[in-house]
Amino acid sequence: MSFVAVAEDSDFPIHNLPYGVFSTPGNPRPRIGVAIGDQILDLSVIKHLFTGPVLSKHQDVFDQPTLNSFMGLGQAAWKEARAFLQNLLSTSHARLRDDTELQRRAFTAQASAVMHLPAAIGDYTDFYSSRQHATNVGIMFRGKENALMPNWLHVPVGYHGRASSVVVSGTPIRRPMGQMSSDDSKPPVYGACRLLDLELEMAFFVGPGNNFGEPIPISRAHEHIFGMVLMNDWSARDIQKWEYVPLGPFLGKSFGTTISPWVVPMEALMPFVVPNPEQDPKPLPYLRHDRPYTFDISLSVSLKGEGMSRAATVCKSNFKHMYWTMLQQLAHHTVNGCNLRPGDLLASGTISGPEPESFGSLLELSWRGTKAIELGDGHTRKFLLDGDEVIITASCVSPDPCLRTLACRSVGSPSAHAHTLSVTLSPYFLGPVLGRCLFCGPPLDPILWVQGAERPFKASRPLCAAARPKPPLHAGTAGVCPAAVSVLPLETGLRSVLPFPVCSRPPPGSLGPLASGVHLLLL
């Protein structure tokens, strides 16, 4: 037990002790800490206490703004640090327990801390290692007979991701812009992604790297894996569909990848190792290993949208469903001589289990948008809407919990701009004009704004400053999605629809007023 108060249901018992990088308003310098209960132990404050045979020569690694240097020291340093910290925080050890002044300087409440990326990520690779996920996606796009590509059961498929857009949990994600094509007979269009998706993943940080040209044998791969984080690899499905042939994902993936701030060391996870999945056909010799390196980690994804009183669970899965192990991923990554470096990030790919409720993406849960996902109280989703919050949690369950971590809380705010379409609201019928989407997005409720109004009328969300019309105006504007309206006749006159006075002077080029009332037209 720890002398630090730890609630029974805490995510951070003494058996966990994940590493992270944090700062505080009073000290904005990022520094390395360990989570215990609702506190963070600042390792830069107690670095002088690391006097073991390895760390006594490397105390400076705990005074760095990232974990890279510590990761690069290797397993001997990691084991020494963990053993020392568990002893230092225990009720039987007096050094920190009885030094109230050192405690005052060394502990920070998690609630008052700002979390940062735990490492400077030089390179990021995303694998595709869930057989169920690969099968589901294959069935959707190629049919059941060709669900898995011919290479999938022989090689851990992966691609090189964008390290610069990996962000820490809580960072808002902007809805990406790009090219899309929903009709093969027509040219592509440019606009904001309409099929924004989440992907339930886990990832591991590389510890010591390897020299250029020298592969890491699978028998030693475990020596190069520091610890794990949760990941949401945001995906723009419509952008991805248009661009991925022939070189794979690009803009549909590179706009943002969220990871949890706390890195759980592999030693904390070892009590939850389970037998590796049976692989048939047997992989090539360089990918074979007998060491159990599959982990029983329960995973959950919840979604909370605007107007929802609480988050709704949309997925319950488990990391043990992965077909390819982390050892195989790392060995394969380096078999060609590719050099990895401390702080590199290697991700699992979407984690999907055998049951529909264990599918790890909205693409699968909605089966390519053909069915709605029920969130309760009348709320549904097929893909993510602006303002949706995605919450990913992980836990290992045992009588003596080693990992119970609320490790990732990702907020999706896909754009700083309301996705609006330029529309004219007028008592005069305007001739046909080419439609132009300003920030095109998913369906929105109509938003009305007229000259002289201090706030939007009937607005479910306000127009951004860039989209609001500038006076002088002859009429107002409304924000809608192209899927929501093309021409909408209103049975009453303008003045009975809007409680604001508007200019009734016909705009240049108008065809005059319509006796039947007001029309909304796309411009």
Side-chain angles (χ1 to χ4, degrees):
M1 290 181 59
S2 173
F3 69 84
V4 179
V6 178
E8 187 176 345
D9 61 347
S10 171
D11 299 317
F12 303 109
I14 197 170
H15 308 286
N16 190 345
L17 299 186
Y19 296 94
V21 172
F22 75 103
S23 63
T24 55
N27 184 357
R29 182 178 69 90
R31 50 215 192 265
I32 296 172
V34 164
I36 176 72
D38 61 359
Q39 299 292 307
I40 300 174
L41 176 61
D42 188 339
L43 299 191
S44 70
V45 173
I46 63 162
K47 65 180 183 179
H48 62 285
L49 300 181
F50 289 92
T51 56
V54 179
L55 292 174
S56 60
K57 307 179 187 67
H58 299 284
Q59 293 176 348
D60 60 310
V61 299
F62 299 117
D63 207 23
Q64 302 299 312
T66 67
L67 284 161
N68 294 65
S69 295
F70 179 50
M71 290 173 172
L73 292 180
Q75 276 195 320
W78 308 339
K79 289 179 178 290
E80 184 178 298
R82 180 173 172 80
F84 169 74
L85 288 169
Q86 285 190 317
N87 188 36
L88 181 70
L89 292 167
S90 69
T91 55
S92 60
H93 198 283
R95 179 64 185 88
L96 184 57
R97 183 197 65 196
D98 296 344
D99 191 332
T100 55
E101 173 56 25
L102 184 58
Q103 284 188 37
R104 184 189 63 80
R105 293 188 292 113
F107 284 109
T108 296
Q110 289 189 35
S112 64
V114 176
M115 300 305 298
H116 303 270
L117 281 176
I121 302 170
D123 286 289
Y124 155 51
T125 300
D126 194 19
F127 285 92
Y128 192 53
S129 293
S130 164
R131 182 171 183 170
Q132 187 64 57
H133 174 67
T135 300
N136 289 343
V137 174
I139 291 172
M140 288 182 213
F141 292 96
R142 293 185 299 273
K144 197 169 185 177
E145 297 74 19
N146 301 302
L148 287 180
M149 298 297 286
N151 64 347
W152 200 93
L153 293 172
H154 298 274
V155 58
V157 174
Y159 73 95
H160 194 91
R162 181 72 184 177
S164 65
S165 54
V166 178
V167 297
V168 72
S169 174
T171 304
I173 298 294
R174 296 175 67 93
R175 186 177 294 272
M177 308 290 288
Q179 289 190 27
M180 297 159 286
S181 176
S182 58
D183 187 341
D184 293 340
S185 66
K186 296 180 181 179
V189 298
Y190 170 79
C193 162
R194 301 184 188 183
L195 306 181
L196 185 61
D197 202 355
L198 61 89
E199 285 189 347
L200 168 62
E201 300 196 26
M202 296 194 73
F204 67 87
F205 277 103
V206 174
N210 57 305
N211 293 325
F212 178 67
E214 298 180 9
I216 297 174
I218 199 164
S219 61
R220 302 194 64 179
H222 64 284
E223 300 174 8
H224 296 261
I225 300 177
F226 174 76
M228 299 191 73
V229 292
L230 288 169
M231 172 181 284
N232 182 4
D233 192 25
W234 307 89
S235 299
R237 298 300 185 188
D238 40 7
I239 296 175
Q240 181 181 355
K241 178 178 179 290
W242 171 244
E243 72 178 3
Y244 84 101
V245 176
L247 294 181
F250 184 29
L251 301 184
K253 290 285 194 176
S254 62
F255 64 94
T257 300
T258 300
I259 64 171
S260 54
W262 296 108
V263 187
V264 179
M266 295 312 300
E267 192 172 351
L269 291 168
M270 292 314 296
F272 302 96
V273 72
V274 295
N276 300 320
E278 184 177 346
Q279 295 179 328
D280 183 21
K282 282 190 176 297
L284 293 174
Y286 79 95
L287 289 173
R288 296 177 191 170
H289 68 91
D290 295 325
R291 177 189 294 270
Y293 218 75
T294 296
F295 296 88
D296 184 4
I297 304 175
S298 297
L299 301 165
S300 175
V301 181
S302 299
L303 195 155
K304 187 175 185 294
E306 292 182 352
M308 293 177 60
S309 59
R310 59 182 180 275
T313 300
V314 297
C315 166
K316 289 187 176 181
S317 193
N318 197 296
F319 189 64
K320 67 183 179 182
H321 295 316
M322 304 308 292
Y323 185 86
W324 295 102
T325 70
M326 291 181 282
L327 303 183
Q328 292 172 318
Q329 291 169 345
L330 189 139
H332 180 65
H333 202 310
T334 66
V335 72
N336 66 342
C338 173
N339 53 316
L340 300 179
R341 295 171 293 186
D344 283 354
L345 188 67
L346 276 63
S348 62
T350 304
I351 304 166
S352 293
E355 304 299 329
E357 59 269 20
S358 63
F359 294 169
S361 67
L362 299 184
L363 177 71
E364 296 166 272
L365 291 166
S366 72
W367 204 254
R368 204 179 175 185
T370 60
K371 59 182 182 180
I373 304 164
E374 296 292 337
L375 304 180
D377 297 328
H379 296 278
T380 63
R381 288 291 186 280
K382 292 182 179 178
F383 292 94
L384 294 172
L385 300 183
D386 290 0
D388 282 352
E389 181 180 13
V390 178
I391 305 164
I392 301 177
T393 60
S395 63
C396 294
V397 181
S398 82
D400 185 13
C402 175
L403 171 71
R404 188 183 290 126
T405 308
L406 177 60
C408 187
R409 189 175 182 88
S410 309
V411 180
S413 298
S415 178
H417 298 287
H419 301 319
T420 61
L421 204 66
S422 178
V423 178
T424 288
L425 175 61
S426 172
Y428 296 90
F429 178 80
L430 302 183
V433 188
L434 179 65
R436 177 175 180 271
C437 181
L438 298 179
F439 303 109
C440 181
L444 302 179
D445 295 332
I447 301 172
L448 306 179
W449 190 92
V450 299
Q451 181 182 2
E454 296 181 355
R455 56 186 175 83
F457 174 64
K458 292 185 178 178
S460 61
R461 61 195 79 181
L463 290 171
C464 67
R468 286 184 179 176
K470 305 296 189 296
L473 296 174
H474 293 287
T477 59
V480 296
C481 168
V485 64
S486 54
V487 178
L488 175 63
L490 301 180
E491 298 302 323
T492 57
L494 176 66
R495 292 183 185 278
S496 64
V497 175
L498 295 177
F500 311 118
V502 296
C503 177
S504 59
R505 229 169 2 101
S510 73
L511 302 181
L514 284 184
S516 60
V518 181
H519 286 235
L520 284 173
L521 294 176
L522 303 185
L523 286 184

